[in-house]
Amino acid sequence: MTPGPPPVRWGVLSTGRQAAAFAEDLMLLDDAELVAVGSRTAASARAFAARYAVERAYGGGPGELAADPDVDLVYVASVNAAHHGAVRTCLEAGKHVLCEKPLTTNVRDAQDLMRLAEARGLLLMEAMWTRCLPAVRRAARLVADGAVGTPHLLRAATGGRAPAPALARLRDPEGGGALLDSGVYPLALADLLLGTPQYIDARSLSTAPLVDDTTALLLGYPSGAMAELACSFATELPAHADLSGGEARIELPAPFYAADRVLLHPARGPSRAWPLPPTGRGYTHEASEAMRCVRAGLTESPLVPWSATLGVLTVTDAVRGAGSASSHRARHRTREGC
């Protein structure tokens, strides 16, 4: 039997809930090895390392982890506002990077990282796990194959009342707000299923500049399709998604961003369902894709291409740029729609 490739050696930057879930899923992959963890404090890094049997723990930010010669690929799970600096440090140190969504808080910073990754020949991938899930990938194939006919309307929302410990992070004007925290999920789904919007109409309720508690968006596409999207950390919102077309409706049950099945409801005839549960909590799929890209020498993932990351950030930039202290409404026509 031909031996498989050596494991990709991972470093995890952050010790929060997201990093812990990712570490647990990484243990399910035979071709992955978690060898180092980095945090802002040595004590937090040591506690995380002890919990997950990680060899090395680094405090003081991303620099020490990025300098570890035994780390091939870094998963960045720090707060949104810290993504740009952390990812840049890792790329400059020659590390491949999988960074939590949103990759950065604006298009300009994302393009800066993409140019650096391309120049260094390193993988840079946004950890938009939704695009890597089997159920979501099947839904995209169904749409591409014409199962719904001409797409008319996508509806998707995500949100819930945030627990008190999360409010400081969510209300940080440098990277907080419902749109950047959870609104990127419906936006990413719209990008996957419908492409680049021609116009953006949005309304946000805010308690501080650049910090939206709730945002509703209406996106229009050159094909005539529309997307009704919403996000909030102040109120509960239904977390399922559906795309209606001339021939059928596709449904991703709640929570759509972690979907374990896809349903097709034709205008005529019985409904069909494809149960496609993720492995582990679902982070395994983005991790496997990142490792496949590293082994193939790719700088970007075909499943989560840079164009998709920039497409979502273009919308968030347009909406957040119109912010005010109480509420705002943004109208924006994209370049393609001019």
Side-chain angles (χ1 to χ4, degrees):
M1 179 180 292
T2 304
V8 171
R9 300 168 300 179
W10 286 82
V12 169
L13 183 60
S14 180
T15 57
R17 179 179 56 85
Q18 202 82 31
F22 185 85
E24 290 169 7
D25 265 14
L26 211 58
M27 295 175 182
L28 302 176
L29 301 174
D30 293 335
D31 58 345
E33 183 181 4
L34 180 54
V35 300
V37 58
S39 178
R40 289 175 297 176
T41 67
S44 178
R46 286 195 298 266
F48 189 97
R51 181 179 177 185
Y52 296 108
V54 180
E55 296 175 6
R56 293 181 292 282
Y58 299 107
E64 292 182 10
L65 175 65
D68 188 324
D70 293 328
V71 171
D72 304 312
L73 178 56
V74 177
Y75 170 66
V76 175
S78 49
V79 297
N80 294 345
H83 285 181
H84 178 255
V87 173
R88 195 166 230 293
T89 296
C90 292
L91 292 172
E92 288 174 341
K95 306 303 183 189
H96 304 283
V97 177
L98 174 67
C99 179
E100 259 309 322
K101 55 78 189 169
L103 176 63
T104 61
T105 60
N106 57 68
V107 168
R108 181 190 64 252
D109 286 349
Q111 290 173 328
D112 172 63
L113 296 178
M114 291 167 186
R115 286 191 294 267
L116 179 58
E118 187 171 34
R120 298 292 179 93
L122 296 167
L123 175 71
L124 174 62
M125 176 179 165
E126 184 181 34
M128 181 52 73
W129 67 321
T130 301
R131 291 184 67 114
C132 299
L133 294 177
V136 177
R137 294 178 64 183
R138 175 62 64 87
R141 286 198 299 273
L142 288 169
V143 174
D145 291 344
V148 302
T150 301
H152 292 325
L153 180 65
L154 172 68
R155 296 178 298 181
T158 180
R161 293 186 62 84
L167 290 179
R169 171 179 60 82
L170 290 170
R171 289 183 170 147
D172 177 6
E174 295 301 319
L179 191 63
L180 288 179
D181 181 69
S182 64
V184 291
Y185 284 127
L187 284 171
L189 185 66
D191 181 272
L192 177 64
L193 300 182
L194 298 176
T196 302
Q198 186 176 34
Y199 70 82
I200 304 159
D201 194 355
R203 179 67 182 259
S204 295
L205 300 177
S206 306
T207 54
L210 299 180
V211 180
D212 60 308
D213 291 356
T214 302
T215 290
L217 305 100
L218 178 65
L219 308 183
Y221 297 83
S223 66
M226 295 183 295
E228 293 179 353
L229 313 175
C231 57
S232 178
F233 65 74
T235 188
E236 295 290 334
L237 296 175
H240 70 276
D242 59 72
L243 175 64
S244 299
E247 302 296 329
R249 177 172 63 89
I250 283 181
E251 179 185 358
L252 291 168
F256 74 86
Y257 49 82
D260 61 1
R261 62 195 187 280
V262 58
L263 299 93
L264 180 67
H265 306 289
R268 293 170 295 278
S271 296
R272 296 183 61 189
W274 290 266
L276 294 164
T279 301
R281 299 189 184 189
Y283 301 105
T284 51
H285 302 284
E286 64 182 7
S288 291
E289 171 64 5
M291 292 190 294
R292 185 192 69 81
C293 291
V294 166
R295 291 186 175 114
L298 302 179
T299 56
E300 64 176 301
S301 162
L303 291 186
V304 193
W306 292 348
S307 60
T309 296
L310 293 174
V312 170
L313 288 174
T314 296
V315 177
T316 60
D317 274 6
V319 175
R320 296 177 78 239
S324 68
S326 56
S327 67
H328 71 261
R329 185 170 185 175
R331 289 183 179 272
H332 181 77
R333 184 170 289 272
T334 65
R335 187 179 303 275
E336 291 185 7
C338 293

